Amino acid sequence: MKLVTFTENANTRMGILAGNGIIDLSRAAPSLPTEVAAFLNAGEPAMQAAREAADGSPDFDLAAVKLESPVLRPGKILAVGLNYRAHAEESGMEIPSHPIIFTKQNTSINGPYDPVHNPAETKMLDYEGELAFIIGKRCRRVPEDKAAEVIAGYCINNDVSVRNWQLRGTPPQFTMGKSWDTHCPLGPALVTADELDPHNLRLRTLVNGEVRQDTNTSDLIFNCYEILSFLSTAFTLEPGDVVVTGTPSGVGMAMKPPSALAAGDIVRVEIEGLGYIENEIVDEPADTAQF
Ligand code: ZN
């Protein structure tokens, strides 16, 4: 099942992607929460009601609605650095012996097809195509062999990075470089975990149609279950929390010469079984200042 968050007639709510249509869960199952994190928190009865609704016919054409991030405001967005061997090598870093974790702020969430801002403070805006997973159950200290049971599903992420803010200073400032507004496009759907094997999916990133990253999630150093077990050793994970699992080789920063994103560029990240997200780079509008 492919769970989506969509906006239609200025109203944002949950739906199910069915071919080229959307089943509106607020019509098909009005008692369900209309927001994905609350829906996941409602547990198996809610999921079962959604599965029954998934047999119905679509309420809208996909083209008639706007898809949003599947989770609008995750409690946490956790990210893994250097989780593909070739990317660690192209970054001049050692292969990590344990997952390298940083966070993206939840205000960086962006829709799967929405513009990504290029701020005036950088000339080193970069992409990172990544597999993301979404927590389905509140959990702590989950062993690797139970991790699959607490993952609701998977989606695609571009871990957009402001390299000069990320890498300046010692130690580097991942938090400030990875969390600019609009820099966490996610989607297009939360594909439930029963639909795929997360560790055998082709992942490609294209900039203006040119393939920059092309790998398979079988090349992850730490797989989703190892990452989840590691994170939950320290803290509780909650429904709707998002974990982005790291990017393969081929980022713009590692090209020779380095290549930065600029206004007008189109970045597309595709993952087998999950579809694609595609975001245009735009100069950050002047009206983002708010105080
Ligand atoms: Zn990343």
Side-chain angles (χ1 to χ4, degrees):
M1 192 162 53
K2 296 179 169 65
L3 301 172
V4 295
T5 298
F6 70 99
T7 300
E8 182 271 336
N9 196 21
N11 181 2
T12 299
R13 54 203 191 268
M14 256 187 87
I16 299 169
L17 189 60
N20 283 325
I22 299 277
I23 296 167
D24 183 348
L25 266 185
S26 72
R27 291 187 190 174
S31 63
L32 290 180
T34 57
E35 191 272 317
V36 168
F39 167 83
L40 295 173
N41 201 36
E44 191 50 36
M47 192 64 82
Q48 189 51 39
R51 286 189 197 289
E52 285 163 23
D55 293 334
S57 43
D59 297 288
F60 306 106
D61 282 342
L62 184 55
V65 307
K66 178 177 180 292
L67 286 188
E68 312 288 355
S69 166
V71 187
L72 289 171
R73 183 57 69 95
K76 308 181 196 65
I77 307 170
L78 297 151
V80 186
L82 305 173
N83 201 18
Y84 288 86
R85 261 166 243 282
H87 177 58
E89 286 163 7
E90 76 177 359
S91 304
M93 311 292 268
E94 286 179 26
I95 307 295
S97 57
H98 56 273
I100 306 299
I101 304 298
F102 61 93
T103 60
K104 290 173 82 75
Q105 307 309 301
N106 59 11
T107 40
S108 67
I109 283 283
N110 197 4
Y113 307 117
D114 287 342
V116 162
H117 293 173
N118 186 25
E121 287 80 0
T122 190
K123 291 186 171 53
M124 290 182 67
L125 189 72
D126 207 353
Y127 54 84
E128 294 192 347
E130 307 198 8
L131 171 69
F133 63 86
I134 297 170
I135 301 299
K137 287 182 190 156
R138 188 178 171 86
C139 60
R140 174 84 204 280
R141 292 194 180 277
V142 183
E144 281 171 33
D145 65 352
K146 300 283 186 193
E149 297 173 21
V150 300
I151 294 177
Y154 299 87
C155 66
I156 304 169
N157 167 245
N158 182 353
D159 175 19
V160 181
S161 303
V162 174
R163 298 295 187 198
N164 55 319
W165 278 54
Q166 176 194 343
L167 297 171
R168 69 180 174 188
T170 308
Q173 297 275 348
F174 275 55
T175 296
M176 289 306 293
K178 297 277 197 170
S179 283
W180 290 65
D181 287 359
T182 74
H183 286 189
C184 191
L186 212 62
L190 185 169
V191 178
T192 51
D194 56 313
E195 288 208 359
L196 46 82
D197 169 6
H199 303 127
N200 186 23
L201 303 173
R202 189 176 185 189
L203 182 162
R204 298 202 311 165
T205 305
L206 299 90
V207 178
N208 303 327
E210 177 187 289
V211 177
R212 297 283 186 87
Q213 299 185 292
D214 189 354
T215 192
N216 190 292
T217 57
S218 60
D219 286 339
L220 283 165
I221 297 173
F222 300 103
N223 71 30
C224 297
Y225 307 148
E226 292 169 313
I227 294 165
L228 189 151
S229 183
F230 179 78
L231 292 168
S232 74
T233 306
F235 40 78
T236 299
L237 298 171
E238 298 176 301
D241 284 354
V242 174
V243 181
V244 303
T245 58
T247 204
S249 60
V251 297
M253 178 180 64
M255 292 174 73
K256 300 206 175 10
S259 176
L261 295 171
D265 286 345
I266 305 288
V267 185
R268 176 182 172 113
V269 185
E270 311 170 340
I271 299 182
E272 198 180 348
L274 299 178
Y276 70 92
I277 62 173
E278 189 170 85
N279 304 87
E280 181 177 1
I281 308 300
V282 299
D283 287 327
E284 185 179 284
D287 65 3
T288 52
Q290 190 179 33
F291 47 84

